[in-house]
Amino acid sequence: MTKSESLLRANMHTRIKEVVEDVLKAFQLLEECPHLKPLVRIESDLAFRELNLVLEQFVRSEAQINQILKNYPGPEMGAIQCCLETILIFLNDRWECIQGTDAVYFHYPNSRINRACLLLAQHLATLLETHPYLLLMPSIKNLYKGELLERLLSLNFNEFIMSDDTHTFIEVGPCLNAADKSRTTTLFHTDGSEKKLTENETQRIINHSLEALYYYDVIEYSTQRLQMPIPPNSSNELFKALKEQKCHMKVSYGRKGNQKLAETILRKIKDPHELVDIMTSVLSKNEWRDFIGCISTETLARIMLEGDALAYCIQKSKNYTGDADHDRAILFCFSEIYWRQREKEGEHTTSAGWLPNYSKKWLSYNYTHSLVDYGKKWMGGYNKDEKKAAVEVLQSFLISDVELGGLPDYLKIKKKEAVEGALFEGDLGMIASQAGLIADPAYFQKRTTGLLSYFN
């Protein structure tokens, strides 16, 4: 390498480093978009932290970058790409993970991580002489060619969705406009193929945003009344919002997408405290149900139980920290695991469980009333519906503002004394009782000695 080439490579390193440092400074001004769905917010928070670490590590690896630039045998552009490899890998890996979920760029373009990635890609694109979208969504360059690719690269993120197979993009405005002109509620692809949209694709176009939904409602109303013309300005609100990137987004992949995103988020989480940290630092308590509902039973059990039995984990003192929200979240997860396990079982959990209820048929009421209550507790006599009601009350208590030790009072205030027997019986009873135990400061003073130390 000649002296002039060496000087050029040295200048190149300075330029690359300055670009990345400018991006990091710009990141400090980015705030999270309000009203994101819980899972999208969690992914945005975790990915934004990870991206910051990747960029900070890149800035610190000055010697390594200099070595790459000095020894890279190929052209300048290849050297730049090699230097930026860790950053490009992050963008590629994230794209692979978020496809088919609501975290994708074109569903929630205003999430903090999506704005951060776009900002980063725009800066890197000037170095690599490419389009930002090709860095954010690397697979599209293999799917689209020629005019179709150029058209996609000219669109804002909120102007299109992807097909179910992710092989085709569908423009929101033109798709609805074509239905408007044809006086039909049937929607078609916008790539010239005249292929009808699937039901899921149709719903994503219709519910793309409040503006799109309004436009489709007008089309549907007018189409059902053939002699009624569609108002000429009915599309204005949608096209203005698309152009100004101010759509009130509603588009979603639904439950399947939520489950995929939840699994993506949790794949690196290995213990209960990491999961609970997400629940308590990113979500409000009222969002716990929806979040946990998206996690598969296998994944939830893997994280929370770590291979042990539920009853053992409930009593394991190291699961509790004394922080009220943390411990509530732990118990909430245990109650969800309990119910998912109980739901798969029969009406009663023991072969003798039917006896207390059956006794009503052959003993007097006064006698059986106390017998049934006593027998249910010791014979597993609470049926599935009774246990479900008890779980729902316990979970409602855990997301409330009532102190952890206030469960008995909570039952009275909410007039839920009827579930008390089912609530304090079996494994569910261990969870409910544990709330009272860990609410006492003495619990944490004693847990390193005596019987509690066995569960550490």
Side-chain angles (χ1 to χ4, degrees), residues 21 30 35 61 65 81 106 108 117 191 272 291 293 351 353 424:
E21 287 176 336
L30 294 178
H35 312 305
S61 58
I65 295 171
Q81 191 161 352
F106 40 87
Y108 281 93
C117 287
D191 60 356
F291 173 56
S351 57
F424 285 95

Side-chain angles (χ1 to χ4, degrees), residues 335-347:
S335 70
E336 183 67 21
I337 291 172
Y338 164 79
W339 173 244
R340 293 189 190 186
Q341 293 176 348
R342 179 66 182 86
E343 193 175 25
K344 295 178 181 179
E345 298 173 342
E347 193 65 17

Side-chain angles (χ1 to χ4, degrees), residues 9-27 55-56 58-62 65-66 69 80 83-84 87 119-120 122-124 126-127:
R9 292 285 173 98
N11 291 336
M12 186 192 307
H13 170 250
T14 301
R15 184 184 171 202
I16 294 172
K17 184 179 178 183
E18 286 177 351
V19 166
V20 175
E21 287 176 336
D22 287 345
V23 170
L24 278 170
K25 290 177 183 177
F27 279 6
L55 297 185
E56 288 167 1
F58 176 86
V59 171
R60 290 195 298 268
S61 58
E62 187 170 348
I65 295 171
N66 275 328
L69 290 172
I80 295 175
C83 286
L84 297 171
I87 301 174
L119 177 67
L120 172 63
Q122 288 169 335
H123 279 73
L124 297 185
T126 61
L127 295 173

Side-chain angles (χ1 to χ4, degrees), residues 180 214-215 218-219 221-222 228-236:
D180 180 345
Y214 167 75
Y215 186 22
V218 172
I219 296 170
Y221 185 82
S222 301
M228 180 179 176
I230 296 177
N233 297 325
S234 56
S235 64
N236 287 359

Side-chain angles (χ1 to χ4, degrees), residues 29-65:
L29 303 176
L30 294 178
E31 295 183 0
E32 189 57 273
C33 175
H35 312 305
L36 290 179
K37 296 177 181 178
L39 283 170
V40 176
R41 195 183 330 131
I42 291 171
E43 192 278 334
S44 178
D45 182 80
L46 297 178
F48 186 72
R49 290 189 219 172
E50 183 180 353
L51 178 55
N52 270 281
L53 290 174
V54 170
L55 297 185
E56 288 167 1
Q57 185 175 4
F58 176 86
V59 171
R60 290 195 298 268
S61 58
E62 187 170 348
Q64 184 179 354
I65 295 171

